Amino acid sequence: MDKDKRRKKTTIAAWAVVYILIGSGSSFIIFPNQEAFQRQKTEQSFADDYLNDLYESYDRVKEQSDKSIYEFSDVHESDSYNSWEDDIWYVRDGTCYTPDYAKGVIQCVLEIPSVQIRRGVYTGTWEEIRHDLDIWMVTAARPDYELGKTHYCIYGHNHTVQNLSFNRLKNIKEEDYFTLTSEKGIFTYKVSEIFALWREEVTKNIVDNFSLSEKECFIITCGRGEYRYKDLIVKGILQSHQSIVKSHQTSHK
């Protein structure tokens, strides 16, 4: 009888160990980037700080002119800014690469509401752009683009495991809208085409082709599925260019 009891206790203990190991393994499989989750809001906070500074600059000018202050928080807290989160980062060799590793500066903020993307677009020297791409940031494809004066191309990686935001480009549709917001204002584009090309074609015919219209913007990432081995390109045509001042006034009417 004692042997049966001991055997039963041993069996229970063994199963307990098995469940613990399984639970730990499941946690590792389901949440492989816990450090990344802890830093999940960093990128959006940098993009939002950039937008915040733009609107606060307008507020300071407006306050000096007629003592009337428009609070950016009214815009920042709207549904369009807070209805979703961009929530996972690239982890390599135990290091969670987040925007505080980035070099250069944020040139503008890209927002695609239909696929829940809001990212700062970094630029700088060629070396800074390459560095930022290597740590999975979103960048201008070249350092010599000027919003409103040249066509504009944006690079971003497509990582299925971490589900970084450009992974969501596969869900974008023609006639969706996206915006680029900078000190020059808010540039609103409508998606006109979604297609794939070989990398060499993308570089020659799009990225380095300054004969393209300044009204064209291209979002470029690695293709997957039917576009495997090619680059996926989302082309947008400029629909409107609104100054920060007009946008800010409109949001408070």
Side-chain angles (χ1 to χ4, degrees):
M1 190 73 177
D2 290 339
K3 288 183 179 180
D4 291 340
K5 288 183 178 180
R6 284 197 297 271
R7 189 179 297 111
K8 186 175 181 180
K9 288 181 179 179
T10 300
T11 302
I12 293 173
W15 276 109
V17 171
V18 169
Y19 282 125
I20 290 172
L21 291 175
I22 291 175
S24 300
S26 298
S27 176
F28 180 76
I29 292 171
I30 297 172
F31 302 109
N33 299 305
Q34 293 189 41
E35 181 183 1
F37 275 109
Q38 293 172 4
R39 301 294 300 279
Q40 65 183 342
K41 294 184 179 180
T42 306
E43 163 73 10
Q44 281 186 210
S45 71
F46 283 8
D48 289 342
D49 286 346
Y50 178 88
L51 295 174
N52 197 359
D53 288 343
L54 289 180
Y55 283 100
E56 284 183 344
S57 295
Y58 169 70
D59 285 342
R60 286 192 292 271
V61 173
K62 187 67 175 174
E63 181 180 12
Q64 291 173 1
S65 63
D66 62 7
K67 305 301 181 182
S68 175
I69 303 176
Y70 292 134
E71 295 294 340
F72 174 77
S73 59
D74 294 342
V75 180
H76 183 71
E77 296 299 327
S78 68
D79 290 340
S80 63
Y81 279 82
N82 293 293
S83 59
W84 48 267
E85 298 293 341
D86 186 3
D87 59 3
I88 314 180
W89 294 107
Y90 174 54
V91 178
R92 184 175 65 193
D93 299 330
T95 300
C96 176
Y97 288 94
T98 53
D100 49 343
Y101 286 85
K103 296 182 179 180
V105 296
I106 292 181
Q107 187 172 44
C108 57
V109 172
L110 166 68
E111 296 180 88
I112 316 177
S114 64
V115 290
Q116 301 182 344
I117 291 175
R118 180 166 77 255
R119 301 292 296 272
V121 180
Y122 285 79
T123 192
T125 64
W126 282 105
E127 291 74 17
E128 288 170 335
I129 286 175
R130 292 189 189 100
H131 168 86
D132 290 342
L133 273 176
D134 188 50
I135 63 169
W136 297 75
M137 303 306 299
V138 172
T139 73
R142 296 178 56 103
D144 47 358
Y145 289 142
E146 289 187 64
L147 273 173
K149 293 186 178 181
T150 68
H151 75 299
Y152 201 87
C153 297
I154 299 171
Y155 277 153
H157 284 294
N158 179 350
H159 196 295
T160 56
V161 176
Q162 268 85 4
N163 191 29
L164 289 169
S165 63
F166 272 15
N167 176 266
R168 301 173 189 151
L169 283 182
K170 65 181 182 296
N171 299 321
I172 202 168
K173 296 179 176 59
E174 291 184 8
E175 298 193 356
D176 282 352
Y177 286 86
F178 64 89
T179 61
L180 296 178
T181 302
S182 75
E183 294 177 352
K184 295 184 177 182
I186 302 172
F187 296 77
T188 301
Y189 300 83
K190 179 190 283 188
V191 175
S192 62
E193 293 182 68
I194 303 165
F195 56 99
L197 292 173
W198 297 108
R199 179 68 52 84
E200 295 77 11
E201 294 178 289
V202 173
T203 301
K204 179 181 178 181
N205 298 330
I206 298 177
V207 174
D208 294 343
N209 185 3
F210 280 85
S211 67
L212 293 173
S213 170
E214 72 278 2
K215 294 183 178 181
E216 295 179 305
C217 179
F218 301 86
I219 306 171
I220 304 167
T221 192
C222 305
R224 299 197 182 275
E226 63 179 307
Y227 299 134
R228 191 179 181 189
Y229 305 123
K230 293 185 177 182
D231 280 350
L232 175 66
I233 300 105
V234 174
K235 177 182 177 180
I237 302 297
L238 185 66
Q239 302 297 302
S240 66
H241 173 207
Q242 189 175 31
S243 71
I244 295 296
V245 172
K246 288 183 178 179
S247 171
H248 207 46
Q249 290 173 335
T250 302
S251 68
H252 288 82
K253 285 183 178 180

